[in-house]
Structure formats: C-alpha cells, structure tokens
Amino acid sequence: MNANGWIQLSLFVALLAAMTKPIGRYLVQVLDPDGRTWLDPLVRPLERLTYRAMGIRPDREQDWRQYARSVLILGLVGIAFTYAILRFQKHLPMNPAGLDSLPPHLAFNTAVSFVTNTDWQSYAGESTMSQFSQMVALTLHNFLSAATGMGVAAALVRGIARRGATTIGNFWVDLVRVTYYLMLPACTAFAVFLVSQGVVQNFSPNTTARLVEPTTITVEKTDASGAVVKGADGKALTEEKTIDTQTIAQGPMASQVAVKMLGTNGGGYTNANAAHPFENPTPLSNFIQMLSIFAIASGLTWYLGHATGNQAHGWAVWSAMALLFVAGTLVAWWAEAAGNPIHQALGVAAGDGNLEGKEVRFGIFSSALFATVTTDASCGAVNSMHDSFTAIGGLVPLFNMQLGEVVFGGVGAGLYGMLVFVVLAVFIAGLMVGRTPEYLGKKIGAFEVKMSMLALLATTVAILGFSAWAAASPWGIAGLNNAGPHGLSEILYAFSSAAANNGSAFAGLTASTPWYDTTLAIGMLAGRYLMIVPILALAGSLARKKAVPAGEGTFPVSGPTFVVLLIGTVVLVGALNFLPALALGPVVEHFVALQGTLR
Amino acid sequence: MNTQAPSLLDRNIVGPAVAEAFRKLDPRSMVRNPVMFVTLVGAVLTTLGIFTATAADRGFVAQLAVWLWFTVLFANFAEAVAEGRGKAQARSLRGTRVGTLARRVAPDGSVDTLNAAELRKGDVVLVAAGETIPADGDVIAGAATVDEAAITGESAPVIRESGGDRSAVTGGTRVLSDEIRIRVTANPGEGFLDRMISLVEGASRQKTPNEIALTILLAALTLVFLLVCVTLHPLGSYSGVAFAIPVLVALLVCLIPTTIGGLLGAIGIAGMDRLLRRNVLATSGRAVEAAGDVDVLLLDKTGTITLGNRQATEFLPAPGIAIERLADAAQLASLADETPEGRSIAVLAKAKFQLRGRDVAHARARFVPFTAQTRMSGVDLEGADGNATRRIRKGAAAAMRGFVDREGGGFPDAVARDVDAVARAGGTPLVVADGRDVLGVVHLKDVVKGGIRERFAQLRKMGIRTVMITGDNKLTAAAIAAEAGVDDFLAEATPEDKLALIRREQEGGRMVAMIGDGTNDAPALAQADVGVAMNTGTQAAKEAGNMVDLDSNPTKLIEIIEIGKQLLMTRGSLTTFSIANDVAKYFAIIPAMLMATFPAIGALNVMRLASPHSAILSAVIFNALVIVALIPLALRGVAYRPLGALAILRRNLLVYGLGGILVPFAGIKLIDLLLVQIHLV
C-alpha cells in the first residue's frame, strides 16, 4: 500500500464528489419530461419524431402497473430480438470473420445477459460475435438496459417525492429521454476521448501479426476428422506445435467501451475486456474509465436529493455508498498488496504482493480499485483476473455483488437497490424514535415492507439456490477448473454476478454449458425483473401516500447517524445471508492458505 | 388509581403463565407467529434427531433439543405473563360489578329486580342512594352524586345528571345521594372494560398495522435464513462437510429473529396494560399505536392548561356599595366553602382588606352548600338582636338574578355590565348578594398550571404541536396561550370549528389527538386519530372516541402519547437488538461447524469457545435465555425521554444496535465457560 495508491484513491473520491452535482443537475432535466437541456435544439425534434413514430403520448403518465408492464414488454421483445439475431448470425451481414451462429443456450444466455444489463459473456467476443451482432444485437441493449434502470430509479424517486399521486412517470418517455439526452451524447463524447487515448474504432477484419519470438506449445494430437488420437495405453497422444502468428482483434471498440462503462454494462468487445490494450490503453484511460462507471450512479443521488427536496438526504445516501466503496477498496488493496501467503512462505516475490492475473501496466492498486468499482456498480468490466486475486481480495468483489450492488451500483439499479435498504433501515430504526416509521414523511406500512423484502429475496434465492444446486450436481461440478474452496468461490461468484446483473466472471469456471447458460440466465432474469416489479409497486404505493411535514419528531434521513444506520442495514440485512456460504469459500481458503496449503 | 405494576415474579401471574406457555404450543396458535413456528418445527426435528444421532452426539443433540423447546416456551411464557398482568389489572377494575342487583323499570312503570348480568341495552333502571349502578348507561332523569372511586380511585363524589355533558355513568360505581333513572347503553360483556379485557387476551387480540408490518419483515428474514441453512447442506457436501440436521437447525434458530419474534406479542399487550394502569381504557391496539404518531394535540383550556378551578383576583362592587362590604360578604359566603374557588375568595379578601376568617361556626350561622339545582352557595346569619336573618349568596349571574328577584330586589345594570366585562376578559363573574342587595361581582380568573409550560416545551422537542381550544374570545385566549406556551389556539371554538380544525390538520398529513367530554365533542372525537373521552363525559363522547380516561384528567393525553411512543420504541429497539445479535452467533457457530474439516478456520473462533459442541450449544442457550432476560424490558418498555428524534435514535442505536452486536459475545462466552465447568459438553 504505497503513496501512489493513496493519492489515486483520494483523487478518485474527490473527483467523484465534484462531478456528482453537475451530473445530478443534468439528470434532473433529463428525467423531467418537460426538462430543458442545451441539447434541446438538436434533439427535441428527434424526440418528438420518435414519440410520434412509436405512438407514445408523452403527456400521459403511467401508474406502477402500466410502468412495470412496459418494462417487461421491452425486456421480452429485446430478448426475442437478440436471440433471433444471434441464432441467425451466419446469415446476417457485417461478419468479415465468417463466424457461425450461436447455439440456442448461448444465444438465450447472451440475449438475457445484455437485456438485463448484466453482460455476462459465456464466450470470447472477438471469436464469437460478428460486428453486426456486437453493434445491433448487443450494443442496442447497452443503451436500452441502462435507460431502463434509470427509468425505474426515476419512477421510484418520483414515488417517494410525489404526494397523493397515482402515476410515477411514463416509461417510454424516460427510455427515450435517457437514451437521447444522456446516453448517446455522453457515450459519443467519451468514445472520442477514448480514441484520443488509443482505443481503436474501425470496421477492419482482424489483423494477423507475425510473432517476434515464436513459441512452442504441446497440444493433443488430432486426426483429419478432428478426433483426438489415442495411443496404445488409451491416453491421448500429444505433439509439439509452433505458434508464430497472433490474431489481433479489430472493430468499433471505443464506442462499445464508452457505453459499457457509462451504462455499467461491462460487456467487453474483447474477451480480455479492460485488460486488453486496445480497450484500455493508458493509465489515464484506466482512471477515467473507472470514474465513468460511477459517474451516473453518483449523479442519481443528487437527483434523489433534488426531487425529494432534501439534498442532505441525497448526500447521506452518497456518503454511505462512498464509505462502503472506500472500505471495500482498502480491503482488496491490502489483501493484494500483502500477496499470497503460500508464495511468501516459499520466498517467491514476497515483497511485490499478488501480481498474478494482473496487468503490470496497472499494478496492484489500480487492479484492486478497478475490481472494487466494477462490482460495487453492476458494471462487470475487468482489467485483471478476479480469479487470481487472493482469497480476501476476491472476497471483496464477491461481497460487493452479494450486497446487491448498491454501492453506487448500476445506473439506476444501484439507486433503487439502495433505496430498498433505506426503506428497511427507516422501518427498523424508525420505530426506535417512537413513531410508526416514516420515510420522508411517508408511512412505511406492511405493503412497503413486503415489497422491499421481496426485492431483496429475489437475488438471495437466485444466488444461494443455484449455487447450492451447482455444488451438488454433476453439471455444476463439471464446469469447475479448480477444486477445493476456490472452486466453490467460482460457483458463488458466477451466480452472484448473474443475479446481481454484474457480468464480471471469476473465470476458472467453464460456464458455456447448457446447464450453466440456462441457470445463469434465469438468475439474471430473477435479479433484474423480480426486483424491478416489487420496486415499482413500492413506488406506486409511496406515490399515493400523503406526507407528514418534517418536524423535531421526524426520523432523520440525513446526517452521520443515518449514514451509519444505512451502512449497518446494508451490511447486516444484505450480507448476513451470505456469510455461511462465504465461509465455505473464500474465508476458508484464506485461513487454509495462511497455513500454507490450498485445501 | 395509579396502581403499581405487579411484581414480575407475582406468583398469581407467573404460575398460570407457565401453564399457559405449554398450552400455547398448539400449532394452530403458533402459526400466527412465523418466527416461533419455525423454531417449533426446528425443536421437533431436533427431538427426532436424538434417535438418529450417533451415541457420541446423542447427549449434545438432546441438550440442543431441550433448549430449542425452551426457546419456544420462553416466548410463549413472555406473552402469557403480559396477558396475565393485563387480565389481572382489568379484573381488579371489573371486580365490583359481580353480583349487582338491578331494579328495572318496565315501559308501563312497574319495577322488577334482576341480576345486572341480565340487563340488555335499552333497559331503564332505577338506582337510589347507597346502590351500585349495574351497567354503563346514561342518566335520563334526576341528578345524583356518584362515588366513582371504584374505577377512578378519586374519593370525591361527582355529580351525574340527566341532559348535558355529565350524564354518563359507569357500571360498578355507587350512588351517594338522590335517585336517578339510567338507560343502559351496553350489553353485559360489551362495556369498555370488557372490550379492554379482550384486547389483552390472546385469542381475540387483533394485530395492529405496525405489528403486521413488523411480522412481515420478521417472516421474510426467517425465510431468508431458512434458505441460508437449507442451501448450506449441499454447499457443505461439495466441501466435504456433512452438516448434521440438528446443527443446521441450531444455526437457523440462532439466526432468525427469535428475540423480537418471541416478545412481539408481549410488547403489544404490555402497552395496553400500561395504559390500563394509568386508568385509560383503549378500544383498540391501533389507537395506542396511533398515539405514538400524534403530531398535533388539541387541548381544552380548562382543566388542562389552566387549573380547572378559577381563582378570585378582583372585587367589583355594585354602584353605591363599598368595596369592603362586598369583600366582607363574599368572604362570609365562602368561609365554609371548601372548593378552591371559595377558598381563593377568602384568601383574596384577607390579602386585600385584612379581613380575617372569623369564627362563624356558631349556632346562628347556617351554611347553604352548592347544589346542582340551586347553583349557588352561601350562608344564612341569624340576626343577633332579633334582626332579620342575613341571607348572603354567591353564584353565577343567572342564578343570582333569580335569587334577588325572589328576595324582592333588582339586578343593577352596572353589575350586569361588570359581569359581561369579566366574561369578555376570559374570567368567570361571580355575583354576590346580601338578601335583596346585589353587592357586586367577584372576578374569578384562569390560572395557568405550574409546569405546563415546560411540558409543552418537551412536546415541541418531540415534534408535537399543541393547540389550545377554548370558548373564550380571541384576546383572552391569546393571553392564556402566550402564558402557557402553546403553539396555537382556537378561540370561541364551536364543535364545528373543532371538527374543521382536525380535518384541516389531517389533510396536511398530520395525526391529531384530542380529549373531550361533551356530546358536542363526539364528532371531533370520532374524527381525531386519537380521541380520548373523559369518563365524566357522555356516552356519545365515549362511543365516538377510541379511548376513555377513567380519571377524566385532560393532561392524561400527554401520558397516552408517551405510552404509544414507548410501545413503538420497544419494538424497534428489540428488532435492532435481535438482528445485531446475529453477528456474534455467526462467530460462535460457523467456526464450530467447519472446524472438523478445516481446522484452520479456528482462527475465526474469536471467543475461544471450548469445543464445537459447546460453541453451538452456548449460542442456542444464549438465544433462549435472552428472551427471558428481556421479558422485563418488553413489559416495562424502553425508557422514554422527551427528546428530539435524532437524540433518541442515537441513544437507542448505541444501546440496542451496538449493544446488540457486543452483548452476545460476552454472553455466549460466559455460557460456554459455565458449560465446560459443569461438564455438560
């Protein structure tokens, strides 16, 4: 843990705090159907045209049921659309590498993954997806899924802010406005910046380069039909193979990287994601990419404060998020800087910390920070191998996702997830001030508690249920590349990543099997829609309520006490559920490693 | 009758409660409480586990089963004790009614005698001096003094008369003078006391809205932890750890919020019981909860903010009458008058004109006490030398006008003007006459109660706004409002004004509490979120409100609010405590569960518990004992201080949140040491 890291961390938090208000102010305009932005002259006509073409009545708001129905329709249509494109990829244009169509389970998994803002990739992008699939089938959802999350968050905030109202906004208007006024312009600008750093943006076929230093590897010998040739003893024969060329991926990467970060999608153009020099070429691009993951989510807290007329509350939520973020970063950084105890015992690179699976360009701090940021938010882009982190270093991203990614979180999803915890914190602790609990003047009753707990239950059931199934079933075990506690961590990570709609992979798990593709897809659907529907119900119920004016006896939702309370609720209610499972995975792994063994 | 809370170890309550705890094991009643129901199922599973356990583990599993049963029984016991105390309190109030005979008047006028329990709503009964009133009802004819000590503990008799706001009588009270006819307004078993008793009894108790919401939260948490423990089995089998069912049950019971789950019922009942002990009858638990939420308090000026008894402050002589003569006559008329007003007149005369209290208790002085019919009091002084008897009277202007008319005198206009002026200034004019001569007016003025200002400041700190309601004109009202420190006032208030005010506040989202007694208060009492009717009030008022104050003490409203707040605070604090407890229990149980397969995990055994078995057992025992340990707190309620929400939150968060994390570490370690000491593990 060096000075460089401390300076970067301080700078990161300071910049994040500084950009919260400007972004928040802009969001206020975007999320208001009559809001004004400096883009109006350019975009307003396009917006109106879209409404007319799609038959949207921007003046007609929806109640929570209609809003939820719209979200579900978009999701369903989106999944069907992307599934179809991926299944027919071979016959579609812009496929210079001549890539084949995807098998059904992979197409289903990928379609769900991108529609739910997860961007879990059971495939290597550059060798599976044509440029057409990347740009139309996937990138489309990078925008729409981000806008959906923000729409739901805005609907919940409206529900909290409105009094005696039946409607919580119009989903289609939110979708169009977020896409036109926020995501498209911001991503365009960000892509231009990325290009300036050296990120590629082209439609060229992949380049084949001749290696300066050819290498030789040992592979299984195959016959003409591709079957493995076996020797007399029944074992596969091997042969030496010389590698003297390398295929370098090309394509429209800058635009994809921009939206994968700003929209907390996380799906990389290349398999190596943000560790690939073309996606993340410089220290500056790395730093700004991390910042861009949090940017919109951070601004949304200001939007919350503005909409509810209680900016101190917005900042209290921000502070709780920031503290949880810093704590996670410090633990991950400490664990990685301390290195692998087994290596230390052997005297291997003892002083350098754990550099396995990390880009030396980024080093330990930037890798630990990136891992924390990407899992605090539901981004899932990675610039290092989380699988290669130490047990505790890997525990942090896992834990972040299991919290429900409420530490800034995905665009929109982070805020609405956190607000569920706010409602629960207010309910439990609100009683302690001697009133039936109120959140910003609105009574929290049985219905609100029920919806909040339903939203929390969805991810818990998906993570624990599927992990347990995987751990006990031959299909689940088949995918594992590591045995022992680390193998369990890999399973837990995969389902946590899916249910929390993160999309980052611990790697080390062969997840491109029909069983994993299907269960992970169901986990993603549960983590997204089984959360959104109760949250919209919560929004609808809150919107209808009258608000009691604040006074001395009102439960305070700002200030240090509330921040501590909120953090306590997130940790106790959100994470206690996963402790036994974590104990069997990374926790045991850590203590076993301290003794110098692996299991 | 602010009876002391019975001791927690009262044999008459604890004995039946133990039996009741077993009776409540009936799954049909347990299922109402999801947390404890899961614990019950866990206890059954573990009991079955005794038979399948290996010989080495059998003792451990058996102990585990015993403690799980205790956990359920302790929770049942807590509720049974709360019910027992409430019922004992209610019974002591109801006791007087048993065996009362009633004289029923048939429509044709004939009278028959029957048992009070056979009376029906609408019956008319006759009650004479010395008899007990057989049922709740309204006086429809006559007036009487009634001893209500049986229910209020106040020994001074009160007047009950037909018509007006003092017509309601309560069953079990005794008529001291005169005879009254009463129309029964409640069937036996449906009176206020009966309703109150049903509220503290388990069977018919309805859950309040907040209780329902909390039960949902607890049920959801239970579901989550159930999932955690069920999935742990396959996850463990992957890691080569075979978790025994009793151990998983132990983990589950420790994680689910049994502390609050077990005490939730007791907390609610104890809240009703605390109300009852302050002589307030609530008709629903919902009303008690609402009391904690009150934002606006409507208080009648008289009796709440000012002393109900006004004090003499000034003598206003009639034209041509010396002020000393007025003072002298007023004092004479008041010497035997033991009411505070009477005494204040004697004191004022002495202070202003050095008129000392004379010994008038000789044969020639005859005091005329105040009666409901004459509405005046005074003294008849027999003339010393055969002079005519002096008849000195004081009373309300209207009554005195009648008196001087009968004496053959006139009522001077100047006095009438003085009467008006005093009334306009918010005071009460008392006219004094000596035979046919009207001597003048005594100005009785409102005096703001001592300490009330501080009370209002506290309320303000709690975020509650006080509004004074008075029939006085605006000027007077403003003066008293400023003196008392209320936030707002409603002057010259008619019942319609009150109702409109309540509606207006409620539209702004505020919860309103008020106290009232008269029939004309009934609409407002019904509209208010918390409507407290005074026991002295009319049946209409009592029916409209959702609480009845047997003491008829308007200041009681503040105590009611405190009880409501205390009830909610206790629930919140114990919920927080319960959830925070899980941290220590994890540190006890998780290492114990994994130690056999992964000895390295022993590093997490921060409490250094002796063995896996002792660790799991200690956590389960702690979990059971903490319910018992917290019964007194659940019954008494969390200490309440009138502070702002933030200060209360900080304090309770520190005590029950941080305390909830730390206390079990010490408790579990202690139990572990003990278990090892007595070789139970």
Side-chain angles (χ1 to χ4, degrees):
Chain A
M1 298 178 86
N2 50 18
N4 178 298
W6 287 110
I7 293 168
Q8 274 198 65
L9 182 59
S10 315
L11 193 64
F12 187 86
V13 176
L15 282 175
L16 189 65
M19 60 202 237
T20 299
K21 187 176 172 183
I23 294 177
R25 288 177 79 108
Y26 188 73
L27 286 174
V28 168
Q29 297 304 319
V30 171
L31 293 169
D32 172 5
D34 302 316
R36 306 211 161 272
T37 70
W38 55 274
L39 285 169
D40 275 10
L42 204 68
V43 182
R44 199 62 137 179
L46 190 64
E47 185 191 351
R48 290 214 183 95
L49 194 69
T50 312
Y51 292 152
R52 211 166 310 137
M54 291 176 61
I56 299 169
R57 293 283 305 274
D59 54 331
R60 197 167 288 174
E61 290 214 338
Q62 299 170 311
D63 64 25
W64 78 264
R65 283 191 179 83
Q66 293 164 328
Y67 203 102
R69 203 176 303 135
S70 305
V71 172
L72 293 176
I73 287 172
L74 180 73
L76 208 64
V77 171
I79 291 170
F81 172 75
T82 301
Y83 181 81
I85 290 183
L86 298 181
R87 292 285 287 137
F88 295 105
Q89 171 173 280
K90 195 164 65 174
H91 312 290
L92 294 168
M94 289 177 73
N95 187 359
L99 295 165
D100 203 356
S101 300
L102 275 63
H105 59 88
L106 183 58
F108 173 60
N109 180 284
T110 307
V112 169
S113 169
F114 278 76
V115 168
T116 56
N117 196 258
T118 311
D119 292 25
W120 168 274
Q121 291 160 302
S122 283
Y123 57 89
E126 60 271 49
S127 57
T128 314
M129 293 292 168
S130 70
Q131 289 173 357
F132 180 80
S133 298
Q134 293 264 24
M135 289 182 63
V136 179
L138 306 186
T139 310
L140 172 75
H141 294 303
N142 285 340
F143 286 93
L144 293 186
S145 67
T148 301
M150 291 189 63
V152 174
L156 179 56
V157 171
R158 287 181 197 126
I160 294 165
R162 289 181 180 180
R163 286 154 195 210
T166 51
T167 59
I168 52 174
N170 183 321
F171 174 67
W172 304 111
V173 172
D174 287 337
L175 189 71
V176 168
R177 286 188 62 87
V178 169
T179 309
Y180 285 4
Y181 288 94
L182 180 70
M183 295 309 294
L184 282 173
C187 290
T188 308
F190 191 37
V192 169
F193 162 80
L194 290 170
V195 168
S196 79
Q197 294 298 302
V199 180
V200 300
Q201 177 78 6
N202 57 36
F203 293 96
S204 323
N206 296 344
T207 312
T208 303
R210 186 152 292 279
L211 289 183
V212 179
E213 190 182 348
T215 58
T216 309
I217 57 170
T218 307
V219 294
E220 287 176 339
K221 197 171 176 177
T222 53
D223 59 20
S225 65
V228 177
V229 181
K230 289 181 178 169
D233 57 354
K235 284 186 181 167
L237 295 178
T238 56
E239 60 182 354
E240 302 276 290
K241 191 177 170 190
T242 304
I243 307 283
D244 53 6
T245 61
Q246 179 189 7
T247 307
I248 299 173
Q250 300 284 354
M253 291 192 201
S255 55
Q256 169 63 21
V257 170
V259 74
K260 102 177 166 193
M261 296 302 180
L262 279 171
T264 62
N265 293 288
Y269 195 93
T270 62
N271 191 32
N273 209 307
H276 195 291
F278 277 3
E279 289 202 29
N280 191 4
T282 67
L284 182 64
S285 74
N286 187 57
F287 190 82
I288 300 297
Q289 281 187 21
M290 288 190 288
L291 211 50
S292 67
I293 295 173
F294 277 175
I296 294 175
S298 182
L300 275 171
T301 63
W302 199 90
Y303 167 72
L304 168 73
H306 178 89
T308 58
N310 186 344
Q311 206 47 264
H313 175 53
W315 281 113
V317 171
W318 188 90
S319 307
M321 290 174 166
L323 285 170
L324 282 165
F325 155 66
V326 170
T329 307
L330 292 181
V331 172
W333 182 20
W334 165 80
E336 294 311 296
N340 185 332
I342 296 177
H343 287 185
Q344 282 166 344
L346 297 171
V348 183
D352 295 345
N354 177 29
L355 270 172
E356 184 197 314
K358 296 189 178 63
E359 279 279 288
V360 279
R361 302 185 287 142
F362 303 130
I364 284 176
F365 174 77
S366 291
S367 300
L369 179 63
F370 202 112
T372 311
V373 169
T374 197
T375 51
D376 274 341
S378 78
C379 182
V382 290
N383 77 347
S384 56
M385 278 294 184
H386 293 182
D387 192 30
S388 301
F389 274 36
T390 59
I392 298 298
L395 173 68
V396 171
L398 187 53
F399 187 74
N400 281 339
M401 293 188 296
Q402 290 174 342
L403 284 184
E405 292 176 342
V406 293
V407 181
F408 296 104
V411 283
L415 184 67
Y416 63 65
M418 191 56 140
L419 287 177
V420 167
F421 282 112
V422 169
V423 168
L424 289 176
V426 165
F427 180 76
I428 297 169
L431 280 174
M432 283 200 291
V433 305
R435 289 174 72 93
T436 53
E438 284 159 12
Y439 174 38
L440 291 169
K442 297 197 163 170
K443 296 226 181 297
I444 305 298
F447 185 78
E448 287 74 30
V449 171
K450 205 185 289 173
M451 290 306 125
S452 303
M453 288 310 289
L454 271 181
L456 280 191
L457 267 171
T459 40
T460 310
V461 172
I463 294 174
L464 289 179
F466 282 125
S467 295
W469 189 10
S473 67
W475 312 294
I477 305 286
L480 286 177
N481 295 347
N482 292 77
H486 197 74
L488 192 66
S489 300
E490 287 169 356
I491 293 175
L492 272 176
Y493 195 103
F495 287 104
S496 300
S497 176
N501 295 154
N502 182 280
S504 71
F506 212 36
L509 183 74
T510 309
S512 58
T513 63
W515 189 83
Y516 270 111
D517 273 341
T518 312
T519 50
L520 287 168
I522 296 172
M524 292 184 247
L525 285 172
R528 183 75 166 178
Y529 294 107
L530 291 186
M531 191 157 178
I532 282 181
V533 174
I535 280 172
L536 287 174
L538 178 67
S541 158
L542 286 174
R544 274 195 299 275
K545 291 184 186 251
K546 286 190 268 186
V548 186
E552 275 294 321
T554 321
F555 184 83
V557 286
S558 56
T561 309
F562 178 72
V563 172
V564 170
L565 175 69
L566 184 55
I567 293 176
T569 309
V570 169
V571 172
L572 283 181
V573 179
L576 274 183
N577 323 335
F578 298 102
L579 275 190
L582 290 175
L584 283 169
V587 175
V588 156
E589 188 187 347
H590 172 73
F591 285 109
V592 169
L594 281 181
Q595 294 193 334
T597 56
L598 285 174
R599 48 193 306 186
Chain B
M1 192 162 60
N2 278 308
T3 42
Q4 278 300 305
S7 151
L8 284 174
L9 296 173
D10 188 333
R11 214 154 9 105
N12 294 327
I13 290 172
V14 171
V18 170
E20 188 63 26
F22 282 93
R23 214 167 301 134
K24 280 172 184 275
L25 285 178
D26 182 347
R28 279 167 303 179
S29 71
M30 291 294 295
V31 82
R32 275 162 56 97
N33 184 340
V35 182
M36 296 321 293
F37 185 73
V38 168
T39 312
L40 179 74
V41 173
V44 171
L45 278 179
T46 312
T47 309
L48 295 176
I50 301 175
F51 304 105
T52 56
T54 60
D57 281 349
R58 193 157 291 152
F60 164 70
V61 176
Q63 287 189 62
L64 217 49
V66 168
W67 282 104
L68 291 177
W69 281 109
F70 271 141
T71 311
V72 182
L73 287 172
F74 287 162
N76 288 349
F77 174 72
E79 199 170 289
V81 168
E83 282 173 15
R85 281 154 57 96
K87 273 189 261 186
Q89 186 74 28
R91 254 199 306 274
S92 75
L93 290 178
R94 186 156 63 168
T96 44
R97 292 167 111 175
V98 184
T100 308
L101 288 180
R103 286 191 288 148
R104 184 169 60 182
V105 185
D108 60 13
S110 63
V111 175
D112 62 332
T113 305
L114 75 169
N115 202 303
E118 295 165 39
L119 285 175
R120 284 291 168 271
K121 199 167 163 180
D123 285 351
V124 175
V125 292
L126 209 56
V127 187
E131 292 180 346
T132 302
I133 296 174
D136 291 359
D138 269 328
V139 180
I140 52 169
T145 47
V146 177
D147 173 14
E148 296 196 334
I151 54 166
T152 64
E154 180 61 55
S155 58
V158 291
I159 292 171
R160 292 285 176 262
E161 59 193 351
S162 61
D165 288 348
R166 291 162 176 265
S167 62
V169 287
T170 310
T173 55
R174 218 155 52 85
V175 174
L176 292 180
S177 70
D178 305 296
E179 188 176 66
I180 44 176
R181 266 163 202 262
I182 298 166
R183 177 176 291 121
V184 177
T185 52
N187 289 332
E190 290 171 17
F192 281 99
L193 277 173
D194 304 295
R195 260 190 264 171
M196 186 82 186
I197 289 166
S198 75
L199 282 178
V200 295
E201 277 174 351
S204 60
R205 212 169 67 82
Q206 295 281 316
K207 281 190 174 138
T208 59
N210 174 257
E211 227 175 340
I212 292 170
L214 194 52
T215 305
I216 289 174
L217 177 82
L218 299 180
L221 285 175
T222 305
L223 195 63
V224 167
F225 287 122
L226 193 61
L227 185 77
V228 168
C229 294
V230 168
T231 55
L232 201 52
H233 198 268
L235 289 175
S237 69
Y238 164 88
S239 308
V241 195
F243 296 119
I245 300 292
V247 172
L248 286 174
V249 170
L251 177 66
L252 174 65
V253 171
C254 283
L255 292 182
I256 61 177
T258 47
T259 313
I260 178 67
L263 294 173
L264 191 56
I267 294 169
I269 299 167
M272 305 293 290
D273 179 43
R274 278 200 296 278
L275 264 188
L276 203 49
R277 223 171 307 123
R278 283 178 178 76
N279 276 339
V280 178
L281 305 183
T283 54
S284 74
R286 187 187 285 252
V288 188
E289 224 165 62
D293 282 354
V294 164
D295 303 288
V296 181
L297 209 53
L298 303 191
L299 296 165
D300 266 324
K301 181 196 74 177
T302 310
T304 315
I305 295 168
T306 59
L307 292 169
N309 312 308
R310 301 165 177 224
Q311 311 252 311
T313 53
E314 205 180 349
F315 293 113
L316 303 165
I321 305 287
I323 192 163
E324 286 79 5
R325 187 176 166 209
L326 169 62
D328 181 56
Q331 194 187 39
L332 275 173
S334 308
L335 279 175
D337 187 350
E338 285 302 315
T339 63
E341 286 98 338
R343 255 175 285 159
S344 80
I345 294 173
V347 168
L348 182 72
K350 179 181 156 191
K352 280 209 161 159
F353 306 104
Q354 286 76 46
L355 291 171
R356 305 203 62 83
R358 283 143 291 180
D359 179 22
V360 284
H362 50 80
R364 282 175 300 176
R366 197 175 60 77
F367 292 103
V368 181
F370 180 86
T371 67
Q373 276 81 30
T374 60
R375 292 182 185 280
M376 54 187 171
S377 65
V379 65
D380 289 346
L381 291 175
E382 228 172 83
D385 310 313
N387 285 345
T389 301
R390 273 178 81 192
R391 292 154 66 82
I392 304 174
R393 294 287 184 278
K394 65 181 201 301
M400 292 304 291
R401 195 183 282 273
F403 173 75
V404 285
D405 275 355
R406 282 194 302 279
E407 292 285 324
F411 202 85
D413 285 348
V415 173
R417 277 195 298 277
D418 279 345
V419 166
D420 283 350
V422 170
R424 264 202 308 279
T428 303
L430 211 55
V431 175
V432 181
D434 187 350
R436 50 180 293 177
D437 299 332
V438 174
L439 300 181
V441 177
V442 180
H443 185 170
L444 293 178
K445 202 182 150 188
D446 273 323
V447 176
V448 171
K449 279 185 178 177
I452 199 83
R453 213 188 153 81
E454 289 69 33
R455 203 83 192 249
F456 289 147
Q458 284 178 357
L459 286 173
R460 200 168 305 120
K461 220 180 268 172
M462 286 155 55
I464 297 170
R465 216 157 54 85
T466 43
V467 180
M468 181 180 86
I469 309 284
T470 171
D472 294 342
N473 64 50
K474 279 195 178 126
L475 281 174
T476 321
I480 294 170
E483 194 179 341
V486 291
D487 297 296
D488 203 352
F489 66 89
L490 184 67
E492 291 166 351
T494 63
E496 293 76 37
D497 291 342
K498 278 193 208 179
L499 193 59
L501 176 70
I502 294 174
R503 290 226 171 101
R504 206 158 55 237
E505 295 288 356
Q506 284 173 334
E507 258 150 43
R510 297 182 191 85
M511 299 272 272
V512 182
M514 75 163 284
I515 194 159
D517 54 2
T519 302
N520 55 18
D521 282 335
L525 280 172
Q527 179 72 33
D529 300 285
V530 178
V532 184
M534 295 208 228
N535 195 45
T536 55
T538 58
Q539 282 300 340
K542 288 192 201 174
E543 292 293 336
N546 43 21
M547 289 189 200
V548 177
D549 177 22
L550 296 178
D551 296 341
S552 302
N553 170 9
T555 333
K556 195 66 79 60
L557 201 46
I558 299 175
E559 282 173 53
I560 293 173
I561 289 176
E562 287 178 0
I563 290 172
K565 285 195 175 297
Q566 214 179 13
L567 173 75
L568 296 171
M569 278 164 64
T570 310
R571 267 188 211 146
S573 300
L574 291 185
T575 306
T576 308
F577 184 82
S578 201
I579 295 174
N581 269 201
D582 282 1
V583 176
K585 290 174 190 163
Y586 266 130
F587 274 102
I589 297 184
I590 294 289
M593 290 173 81
L594 301 180
M595 204 93 98
T597 317
F598 304 101
I601 201 94
L604 273 186
N605 181 9
V606 290
M607 285 173 269
R608 299 276 153 246
L609 304 175
S611 69
H613 279 179
S614 81
I616 294 170
L617 209 48
S618 303
V620 171
I621 294 175
F622 175 84
N623 192 54
L625 290 183
V626 83
I627 296 180
V628 179
L630 290 173
I631 289 178
L633 182 72
L635 296 184
R636 206 178 51 231
V638 166
Y640 174 78
R641 288 187 186 82
L643 299 169
L646 184 63
I648 296 178
L649 177 65
R650 274 206 191 121
R651 186 176 167 279
N652 286 341
L653 215 49
L654 208 65
V655 174
Y656 299 98
L658 194 63
I661 292 177
L662 298 180
V663 165
F665 278 101
I668 292 173
K669 176 68 186 170
L670 215 64
I671 294 169
D672 179 73
L673 288 175
L674 214 66
L675 285 180
V676 173
Q677 204 70 42
I678 55 178
H679 302 291
L680 274 178
V681 285

